[in-house]
Every structure is written in structure tokens, then in C-alpha cells.
Amino acid sequence: MVANIAVVGCGYWGSKIVRVMGELGALACVVDADVPKADALARPYGARGRALADVLADPAIEGVAIATPAATHAEIAHAALEAGKHCFVEKPITLRVAEAEALVAAAANAGRKLMVGHLLQYHPAFLELLRLVRAGEIGRLQYIGSNRMNFGRFRREENSLWSFAPHDISMLLALAGEEPVSVAAFGAPVLHPTIADVTTTHLVFPSGVKAHVHVSWLHPIKEQTLTVVGERGMFVFNDGLSWERKLMRYAHRIEWIDGHPQPVPAEPTPVTLAQAEPLKLELQHFLRCVNEPDFLPRTNGAEGTRVLRVLAAADVALARAVEAPEVPQAPPPALPPAPPFFLHETAFCDQPSKIGAGTKIWHFSHVLPNSEIGEKCVIGQNVVIGPDVKIGARCKIQNNVSVYKGVTLEDGVFCGPSMVFTNVDNPRAEIERKTEYRPTLVKRGATIGANATIVCGTTLGRYCFVGAGAVVTRDVPDFALVVGSPARRIGWMSKAGMRLGADLVCPHDRSRYREVDGLLVEAD
């Protein structure tokens, strides 16, 4: 995979490219305005410094690697492509989108390869991360966050956005697989009045994925982290850690409890990586592009242009944020006081109705007019209450229950999932019987099990217990435990919800009961 490559520019990064090209045996010469420096860098690899015009005219030079200031990329790369050279251009590809598009067209016209130096796209950790995300290892992508911070090197020719962010934006675009529909940016010029030393860029993608890039050269601690959040887990690529911990998988998940997200953390596990120098992998990739006609750059001119479009949009947003005058804002109008109860955004409460303080009404439930619910109740999902229903305090109504007109629940009643109240004895869909509704009373502390049916016109006594699936067709005494269809009493229950034995003593709180004329009462 040997080719004759000229490196143009031997500053901070160009000198690194010279070293790696020399180690790969592909360095033909070095071009720089500082000719002695170019000669000194090239000499250890059997090469020498040369003028750019000589390089472009030399048919033995197959490609050029351009590491000059970004403002010169377009001119040098265009001349190299017209001279029939393959081009590797350090990031950013150019400073203007139109210039980048012109380079892409020039490469196509010349039949040459144009590759952009988005180094982290060749990092083993990112390559493995990209593979895992595309394989669906953490499910649908939801959020990407990138932090790239250090103390120095301070620039005067570009801000921290253009200096640091191209790598991160390139990774974000690769992970998302699409270009953003929204770009916002904010910055802080500290060392110079017009050069932002710290910037934060927010991106929103068509699929709903959101991302941010935070860069700074005024940070006391070096940090290079990329966090990827999916619906089934997370990855963190931290280039500041050892190879064994550069890419970590977090099998964290989120559980929804009563409509609230709860974190369920897990221990991170390292992802095994093949260790290699990213710059060497990147330049080997370029050499393969030069040597193999059908091999195309991963970060080609089109990819570099996409990154540039995001940079340009962020730069415009950054300028607006900096230039926007600070206009004194009138205080916002006072908001009406929040209701003392919780009503989920998918639930409805028709007026007039009265809801007690501390009550929670969850997903897709509906309170019809003229209903009254006491304080500290919990109304589950898909519950219908009313109209004209009264429910006491501290009641709990589980999912999929309808409390019809004519039903009254006293304090502390528990209604299990999918239990049923009826309001007429013999309903027909085609015959209206609203005048035949029969009232149902559920007294304090009663429990009704899941899928039970309470036929209208009955009274459920205090602290009685209706077993799951029972069909209640007649009144239930206080403290009675009833099961079956039709429901029959099989025992007694205490206030604490414990079945009583022959001694009629509650095993939970040791409260005592006695039978009087076939009914249970509390002992004095």
C-alpha cells in the first residue's frame, strides 16, 4: 500500500502527518513556507522539502495531504485536483460551503479521490461504537452528547467551534445517519472580544434524535467524551481513558412507575477494542484510496461538506446569539395557581367537578360532570367516573374501572383492576333504562378484587372483602369475606385486611372482634 505522497504544511498537525506518512513509507516530500523546517522533517524518511508548484507538476507524486490553515484549503486542494492528484484535506474541508461543493465537483471531474481528515471516524473505539449502534445494540437512538475540552491551544484565526467541533459533528452525523433540521449555538468570547473560546451547539435530527457539542479551550481538565443514549442502553466513548475502558457500555434502563420515570442503573462493562493509532489508520485508509480505484474514502468530500453545513449554520446562530442586544424583558404574567391535585395530560376532568387535594388521576381517565372525589385518592389508567358520582377520601381505583352514576364510594375503598359496577339489572343496548338505575353503596374501607362484578342495588359493608372474580348479587355484611358466583361468605376479614381465624383476633395488629347475631363487630 505504498504511494508517493506530498505533505503540504508542517505545523502542529502537519508534522504528525509527516511522521506517519514516513513510517508508512509513503512520504515523497514536504511542502512548507519554512523550507529548512520542511527539509528537517522530511530528512529522517529519505525525503526532502519542495515547492508546491514543483510537486503539482511532478507526475510521480500521486497524492497530497494538506495540513495548512483552513483558509488556504480550497485554493491548494483545487490546484492539486486539477493537477491530477488525490487529495487528503485536514478538517474543516474549507471555510465556505460553496468552496467545498466546488472541490467535490472538481474531484469528480478529475476522477480523483477527495478525503477529509475527520480523524475520529477512524478511531477503533468509534468504529466499534458505530457498528454496535447500527446493529441495534441499544435500540432506537435518542440522544448524543459530545464534550471536547482542554486548556489551550488558543487560536486567533478561528474560534473553538471551528477548531474542535468538526470531529464531533462528523461523528454525530455518522451515528444519526442524517443531517439535522435545526442547529442552535451559543458561545462565550473570553480572551478576545470576537473569538468564542467556549461554544455549545444543539442539533435536532428528522428522526427526533437530539444532540449537543460542547467545546472549550478554557477548561482546566482535558475531556474528550462522546455519550450515546438509546432506548435500551448507553455507550460512552472516553478517549482520555486507557484502551481497556475507552468504550464502555451502560445497560441502564428506565422504569415508569405511576407515570414517573425511575432510573435503574447497571454496572458498566468495557467493550473490547483492537488497539491502533487513529492517525495511522486514517492515512492507511487514504493510501488505499490512492492505490485501489474502487475503494472510496469513508470521509469523502460529500461527508466533509455535510459537516461544513452544520458548522456554517452553527456559526450563523453563534453570531446572532453574540450580537443580539439584551432588551429588558417585562416580567411574565402571573400564572394561575396550580391545582392541588394531579391530572395527567391525557386525562380529562369535566366541569363542574370537585377533586380533593393530593389526588392523582392518571393516563386516559375521565371524570364526568358533577362528580366529587375526595382527597389523596389514586385513580389509575383508563378509569371513568360519573356523572354525579361521589367518591370519598383515600380511595384507590385501579386500571380499567367505570364508576357509574348511582355508585357511591365511602372513604378508603379499594377497587381492583377491571372490576365492574352495573347500574341496571337487565341492560339492553337498544332500550334506554336510565330511569331504572339502582343505587350501589360501598362503605368505608371495603376492598373489591380484580374482575369482580357488583350488581346494582347492593350495599357492601365496612371493611368487607370481595374476592377476585366474585359476582355480588346481594348485600355484603361488614368485615365479610365473599367469593364465587354468586358471592357467598366464607369468612371474616379485619380492618387491616387479614383473614380472621376462629379466635377472631387479627394476626396483623391483634385487634379483636366478636360475632353478634351472625354479624361481626369490633370488640370493645
Side-chain angles (χ1 to χ4, degrees):
M1 200 184 296
V2 177
N4 290 321
I5 305 298
V7 176
V8 182
C10 55
Y12 174 77
W13 196 250
S15 61
K16 296 179 183 293
I17 295 176
V18 169
R19 173 185 61 80
V20 174
M21 281 295 189
E23 292 172 355
L24 294 173
L27 184 67
C29 60
V30 178
V31 177
D32 195 88
D34 188 340
V35 178
K37 181 179 180 181
D39 268 328
L41 282 172
R43 196 175 303 118
Y45 307 103
R48 62 187 179 87
R50 293 181 64 181
L52 179 61
D54 292 341
V55 167
L56 298 184
D58 186 348
I61 302 296
E62 299 169 85
V64 296
I66 302 170
T68 57
T72 66
H73 287 181
E75 180 182 358
I76 296 173
H78 204 280
L81 290 168
E82 286 190 337
K85 313 299 182 187
H86 299 285
C87 278
F88 172 91
V89 183
E90 258 308 320
K91 59 82 186 170
I93 179 173
T94 63
L95 294 181
R96 296 175 179 82
V97 174
E99 291 176 340
E101 292 171 342
L103 284 185
V104 173
N109 291 336
R112 302 289 92 180
K113 308 285 181 61
L114 174 60
M115 177 172 162
V116 183
H118 291 147
L119 177 67
L120 290 175
Q121 286 254 28
Y122 301 89
H123 196 297
F126 179 75
L127 291 172
E128 181 63 9
L129 170 62
L130 185 62
R131 185 190 71 80
L132 291 169
V133 169
R134 288 180 174 174
E137 289 292 318
I138 55 173
R140 183 175 60 85
L141 199 58
Q142 295 178 320
Y143 169 77
I144 311 169
S146 181
N147 290 343
R148 186 167 303 277
M149 298 177 287
N150 202 356
F151 187 62
R153 302 170 40 244
F154 309 122
R155 276 73 159 179
R156 280 293 171 264
E157 68 278 4
E158 60 190 11
N159 59 28
S160 59
L161 172 74
W162 285 85
S163 180
F164 285 2
H167 291 306
D168 304 278
I169 293 171
S170 177
M171 290 191 291
L172 263 58
L173 296 184
L175 287 164
E178 55 188 356
E179 292 189 58
V181 294
S182 172
V183 178
F186 306 88
V190 178
L191 303 179
H192 187 280
T194 61
I195 297 175
D197 303 286
V198 183
T199 67
T200 300
T201 304
H202 296 275
L203 300 90
V204 179
F205 292 90
S207 61
V209 174
K210 296 177 177 62
H212 92 263
V213 178
H214 182 61
V215 296
S216 170
W217 55 48
L218 271 183
H219 199 71
I221 302 170
K222 185 174 183 179
E223 180 183 345
Q224 297 176 357
T225 58
L226 178 70
T227 301
V228 180
V229 178
E231 59 186 350
R232 295 199 305 270
M234 309 172 185
F235 287 109
V236 176
F237 167 26
N238 188 338
D239 205 17
L241 297 181
S242 65
W243 279 96
E244 292 75 17
R245 298 184 63 82
K246 276 190 189 296
L247 182 60
M248 302 292 290
R249 178 173 185 164
Y250 293 78
H252 297 342
R253 68 181 193 277
I254 298 171
E255 290 186 355
W256 290 82
I257 300 175
D258 291 336
H260 294 283
Q262 300 294 328
V264 183
E267 288 297 318
T269 56
V271 178
T272 303
L273 302 172
Q275 298 185 27
E277 183 185 0
L279 181 57
K280 183 167 288 188
L281 293 177
E282 181 182 49
L283 296 179
Q284 285 174 331
H285 187 91
F286 176 60
L287 294 179
R288 187 176 174 190
C289 291
V290 173
N291 282 285
E292 299 180 22
D294 296 330
F295 188 76
L296 301 177
R298 178 182 298 116
T299 52
N300 58 17
E303 192 270 345
T305 305
R306 288 192 292 272
V307 171
L308 187 62
R309 275 198 287 267
V310 175
L311 282 169
D315 211 29
V316 171
L318 188 63
R320 288 174 180 166
V322 171
E323 294 171 2
E326 294 189 10
V327 179
Q329 299 292 320
L335 296 175
F341 59 89
F342 171 80
L343 183 71
H344 190 267
E345 61 183 7
T346 62
F348 293 91
C349 184
D350 296 338
Q351 297 302 318
S353 290
K354 182 178 180 182
I355 312 296
T359 287
K360 297 179 179 180
I361 303 174
W362 290 105
H363 306 62
F364 308 109
S365 290
H366 189 181
V367 180
L368 280 74
N370 301 307
S371 295
E372 181 177 337
I373 302 175
E375 64 181 19
K376 297 182 180 178
C377 292
V378 177
I379 311 300
Q381 300 182 30
N382 198 35
V383 172
V384 177
I385 296 173
D388 306 306
V389 164
K390 183 173 182 179
I391 294 174
R394 300 177 302 282
C395 291
K396 291 186 177 180
I397 303 177
Q398 301 296 292
N399 300 348
N400 308 311
V401 173
S402 294
V403 186
Y404 298 117
K405 182 176 182 178
V407 176
T408 299
L409 308 183
E410 293 186 351
D411 294 348
V413 171
F414 179 92
C415 297
S418 301
M419 60 79 46
V420 175
F421 291 106
T422 71
N423 49 18
V424 294
D425 286 331
N426 52 344
R428 289 289 195 189
E430 297 177 325
I431 300 175
E432 184 175 296
R433 288 198 162 109
K434 292 183 178 179
T435 59
E436 300 176 26
Y437 285 175
R438 299 177 62 201
T440 299
L441 173 62
V442 184
K443 291 189 174 181
R444 178 171 183 164
T447 291
I448 306 171
N451 299 299
T453 299
I454 311 301
V455 176
C456 61
T458 55
T459 296
L460 276 61
R462 295 183 312 120
Y463 301 105
C464 70
F465 200 104
V466 179
V471 179
V472 175
T473 59
R474 58 185 177 182
D475 293 349
V476 177
D478 294 351
F479 303 106
L481 168 61
V482 299
V483 298
S485 177
R488 67 189 189 283
R489 188 180 71 80
I490 63 169
W492 299 109
M493 299 290 283
S494 71
K495 277 186 176 181
M498 304 297 292
R499 187 169 182 176
L500 298 174
D503 61 357
L504 299 182
V505 176
C506 176
H508 178 74
D509 60 15
R510 309 309 297 173
S511 58
R512 304 179 67 85
Y513 301 82
R514 58 192 175 90
E515 286 194 47
V516 178
D517 297 330
L519 300 176
L520 195 72
V521 297
E522 297 175 79
D524 295 334

